[in-house]
């Protein structure tokens, strides 16, 4: 088991451009015109272009609407927020720990931005709840992860997956932690996202759903970044690219999808207007297949090659920058374009 070396603060004898993504050397000076990976700078620019804060979103419509939601919708709304609050909190910390072991300054920089975005996600949950419910109820929602058995089981799946890397940072544990990361950022939010998009397409809670959409858009980039890191680590350490790891990855995605389906059944149940449970289950299987393939694994579910929630595509294209469906905020932050200087990377 090869241990991961921590990045050093400064290394006078090393080049600015790193020698490897992990266990490499770098002076630790970041010059975006002299970095190891050609994908790093375009990705960095996309992350900056996503910048947003909860303060931009006007909650007044949602404040009026929340009491008019059915009891079932209110419950699901709060439980999903409670779930996301825990996952985004640990994600902030996880990103910092990854940053400690990445020996490439540009990838380290993006990890720091990723962590900042997780802080914003977390903030948005407090922001939404403080607008809609009492302080006491808000505090209760932030405790759900502790008391709801179905949440405990699901969250423990990811936190256990991270723990091995945190306790014993080896290459093997790092690769496995990235699999759990892609599950957290690329699968475990998705029944929650579907719930909010379904509300929005019924003209309900559009401000909250806008925020969820910005989070979805960030997560889309985060998954892409971890996919790149995973592939570079394997490219630089090909002995780790084994059949065993791929089988582990596929099995882990299958288990994760089953947990996500169980959770979706629990929060959405049979009587949620506009979402059919069968469709949601097919959607989760489709997402699990897609994420597994992104990391080079076989699809865990046979079939499920197309997105069965056709209507959700309009919402998800927002994260690809094709459309701004909600048009809830001014776009002044989207300043970073392809025409801003050093684009030869
Ligand atoms: Zn997040
Ligand atoms: Zn994320």
């Amino acid at each position: 088991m090869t241990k991961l070396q921590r990045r050093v603060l400064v290394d006078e004898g090393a080049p600015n451009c790193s020698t490897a993504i992990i266990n490499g050397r770098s002076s630790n000076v970041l010059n975006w015109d002299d970095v190891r990976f050609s994908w790093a700078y375009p990705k960095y620019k996309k992350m900056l272009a996503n910048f947003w804060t909860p303060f931009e979103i006007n909650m007044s419509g949602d404040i009026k609407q929340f009491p008019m939601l059915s009891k079932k919708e209110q419950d699901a709304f709060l439980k999903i927020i409670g779930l996301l609050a825990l996952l985004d909190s640990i994600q902030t910390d996880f990103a910092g720990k990854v940053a400690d072991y990445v020996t490439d300054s540009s990838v380290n920089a993006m990890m720091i931005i990723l962590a900042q975005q997780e802080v914003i996600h977390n903030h948005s949950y407090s922001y939404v709840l403080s607008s809609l419910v009492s302080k006491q109820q808000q505090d209760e929602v932030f405790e759900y992860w502790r008391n709801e058995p179905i949440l405990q089981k699901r969250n423990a799946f990811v936190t256990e997956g991270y723990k091995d890397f945190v306790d014993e940072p080896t290459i093997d544990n790092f690769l496995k932690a990235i699999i759990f990361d892609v599950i957290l950022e690329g699968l475990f939010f998705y029944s929650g996202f579907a719930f909010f998009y379904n509300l929005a397409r019924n003209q309900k809670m559009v401000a909250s759903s806008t925020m969820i959409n910005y989070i979805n858009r960030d997560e889309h980039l985060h998954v892409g970044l971890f996919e790149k890191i995973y592939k570079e680590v394997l490219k630089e350490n090909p002995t780790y690219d084994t059949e065993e790891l791929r089988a582990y990855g596929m099995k882990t995605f299958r288990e994760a999808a089953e947990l996500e389906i169980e959770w979706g059944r629990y929060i959405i149940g049979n009587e949620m207007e506009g979402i059919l449970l069968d469709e949601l289950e097919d959607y989760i299987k489709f997402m699990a297949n897609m994420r597994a393939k992104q990391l080079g694994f076989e699809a865990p579910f046979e079939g499920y090659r197309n997105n069965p929630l056709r209507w959700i595509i309009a919402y998800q294209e927002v994260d690809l920058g094709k459309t701004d469906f909600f048009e809830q905020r001014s776009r002044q932050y989207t300043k970073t374009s392809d025409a801003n200087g050093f684009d030869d990377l």
Side-chain angles (χ1 to χ4, degrees), residues 91 118 185 219 222:
Q91 190 61 10
E118 304 302 356
E185 302 190 284
E219 300 306 355
H222 298 176

Side-chain angles (χ1 to χ4, degrees), residues 84 87-89 91-92 114 117-122 125 184-185 189 193 215-216 218-219 222:
L84 295 174
L87 292 184
D88 271 323
S89 296
Q91 190 61 10
T92 310
L114 186 148
Q117 291 179 334
E118 304 302 356
V119 171
I120 298 290
H121 300 173
N122 235 87
Y125 308 133
L184 191 161
E185 302 190 284
F189 287 176
F193 289 157
I215 292 169
N216 191 169
D218 289 345
E219 300 306 355
H222 298 176

Side-chain angles (χ1 to χ4, degrees), residues 4-8 23 100-103:
L4 291 183
Q5 302 302 314
R6 269 177 183 276
R7 53 188 286 108
V8 292
N23 290 345
D100 285 345
Y101 293 99
V102 167
T103 45

Side-chain angles (χ1 to χ4, degrees), residues 4-11 16 18 20-30 95-112:
L4 291 183
Q5 302 302 314
R6 269 177 183 276
R7 53 188 286 108
V8 292
L9 196 56
V10 65
D11 184 347
N16 293 344
S18 67
I21 192 163
I22 49 166
N23 290 345
R25 286 184 69 193
S26 147
S27 67
N28 218 358
V29 169
L30 173 55
K97 293 188 196 309
V98 170
D100 285 345
Y101 293 99
V102 167
T103 45
D104 179 277
S105 304
S106 65
V107 177
N108 173 66
M110 284 189 281
M111 250 334 116
I112 303 292

Side-chain angles (χ1 to χ4, degrees), residues 131-150:
S131 313
L132 300 179
V133 298
S134 67
K135 172 67 168 60
Q136 192 202 340
Q137 205 172 2
Q138 178 178 350
D139 290 344
E140 279 167 25
V141 171
F142 275 86
E143 295 291 327
Y144 278 161
W145 65 276
R146 245 193 269 270
N147 311 318
E148 283 282 334
I150 200 159

